[in-house]
Amino acid sequence: MGPADGKGAVETVEAAPAKINLALHVTGQREDGYHLLDMLVTFTEAGDVIRIRHADEDSFSISGRFASDLLQSGASNNLVLKARDLLRSHARQRDIATTPVAIQLEKNLPVASGIGGGSADAAAALRGLIHHWQLDIGDEDLSGIALTLGADVPMCLASKPLIAQGIGEELTLLTQFPQLALVLVNPLKGVSTPQIFRLLAHKQNEPLPAPPDDEGESWLPTMDGLRNDLQLPAISLLPEINDVLAMLRSEGADLARMSGSGATCFGIFSSLQKAEAAAARLRERKPGWYVQETMSIAGRVL
């Protein structure tokens, strides 16, 4: 049976892992205003979920802890719908029919929080719809669609440890990158990414160093010497970010840093058990915050 007969899987489920910027170095700015970045990125088992079912007509629904925040910003503009429409248009140009779909987004990640929620959702929609519609699409075409949706979408499409350069489209997968025990914390207060970049004092900073020769555990001490160039301007806008970092360190994090443009911060712990214990204590201290213990997705080939 082909994709046009609508008899595919009863439900296609696709994870949208949180994207964690373990380091973000701003190395320059293009004439069109886009900033040049060097980013060390990993993804976590925590994230949103996309569910796709065959339907008589297209529909889109949002559930989960942060559904109301997303609905307030306007569901009709959601990147998931843009991903669906771009992929369908690509198929139509090649005379491939695509059936109507009911898409549900389970929104577990805070909105606009520096951990790639919207981009991860769009990438998961692309992966899920390609499977659901049984499309055969080349890597170059898929990368082009992803980049049209946003600079972070190509890396979220990969959802594996990587270094991203340029505006985020130049990807180098790190197949030996270690799995990390993490606690993610967000005070659920927003910060403006454009304003953070405007406050950035220096835009010609040192790039990431070359990956360790053996990768593996050598990354852990290497990460300590890296940085997020957006962290200080973000703290100037939202001092609570500094409080989050201090709390993570006080709970035993080996490294605490802001992810992306914030306000989510992460702490790296020596084991999942320690991360779980720290997260439990942080939830007691700050019951209104987003606190999530998780493991990163390993790059290591087992």
Side-chain angles (χ1 to χ4, degrees):
M1 294 180 180
D5 57 26
K7 304 297 185 183
V10 173
E11 183 175 66
T12 299
V13 181
E14 191 70 36
K19 175 182 71 69
I20 308 301
N21 286 101
L22 297 169
L24 189 158
H25 295 194
V26 181
T27 61
Q29 188 172 16
R30 301 194 318 194
E31 291 184 1
D32 61 6
Y34 280 98
H35 289 84
L36 298 173
L37 308 172
D38 269 20
M39 295 175 282
L40 176 62
V41 177
T42 195
F43 294 83
T44 74
E45 294 174 357
D48 297 336
V49 181
I50 293 284
R51 294 182 173 86
I52 303 167
R53 297 179 66 92
H54 173 65
D56 293 330
E57 61 182 18
D58 284 335
S59 66
F60 180 53
S61 60
I62 307 173
S63 62
R65 177 181 176 184
F66 295 102
S68 60
D69 295 345
L70 203 56
L71 288 167
Q72 288 174 10
S73 64
S76 61
N77 296 321
N78 194 278
L79 278 179
V80 169
L81 297 183
K82 294 180 180 178
R84 178 200 66 192
D85 294 345
L86 278 174
L87 193 60
R88 178 174 277 150
S89 176
H90 176 85
R92 186 178 296 123
Q93 290 169 13
R94 286 150 184 80
D95 294 324
I96 301 170
T98 55
T99 57
V101 285
I103 302 177
Q104 182 195 24
L105 167 60
E106 182 183 309
K107 193 64 188 167
N108 302 315
L109 300 176
V111 176
S113 59
I115 51 178
S119 297
D121 297 342
L126 289 176
R127 291 192 302 265
L129 286 168
I130 286 169
H131 173 75
H132 194 83
W133 284 332
Q134 302 170 41
L135 299 180
D136 183 10
I137 180 170
D139 290 343
E140 187 175 343
D141 286 341
L142 183 55
S143 296
I145 292 171
L147 191 58
T148 300
L149 290 164
D152 283 356
V153 179
M155 67 183 87
C156 291
L157 200 58
S159 284
K160 295 177 181 178
L162 53 84
I163 289 175
Q165 296 171 296
I167 63 171
E169 83 286 10
E170 301 171 20
L171 307 181
T172 303
L173 295 181
L174 300 172
T175 58
Q176 300 298 316
F177 196 82
Q179 193 171 23
L180 304 173
L182 301 166
V183 176
L184 311 180
V185 182
N186 188 298
L188 298 185
K189 291 186 178 179
V191 286
S192 166
T193 299
Q195 193 171 358
I196 288 171
F197 274 103
R198 283 196 294 270
L199 290 172
L200 192 61
H202 303 287
K203 299 185 179 183
Q204 304 284 341
N205 301 299
E206 288 294 318
L208 287 175
D213 290 339
D214 61 345
E215 290 194 39
E217 302 306 321
S218 297
W219 264 117
L220 299 177
T222 299
M223 278 190 284
D224 193 48
L226 306 181
R227 62 188 191 273
N228 182 345
D229 288 331
L230 303 183
Q231 185 169 298
L232 285 178
I235 289 172
S236 72
L237 291 175
L238 185 64
E240 277 175 278
I241 292 171
N242 217 23
D243 298 335
V244 173
L245 293 169
M247 287 182 189
L248 283 165
R249 294 185 189 106
S250 72
E251 293 296 346
D254 296 325
L255 173 69
R257 187 173 287 150
M258 188 181 80
S259 176
S261 58
T264 303
C265 299
F266 64 88
I268 299 176
F269 290 80
S270 57
S271 70
L272 179 59
Q273 291 74 20
K274 289 184 179 180
E276 289 171 337
R281 292 190 295 268
L282 285 167
R283 275 189 285 267
E284 288 181 2
R285 294 170 67 180
K286 295 291 183 179
W289 286 9
Y290 170 81
V291 179
Q292 180 64 59
E293 67 275 25
T294 187
M295 293 295 294
S296 69
I297 297 170
R300 184 178 295 115
V301 178
L302 300 176

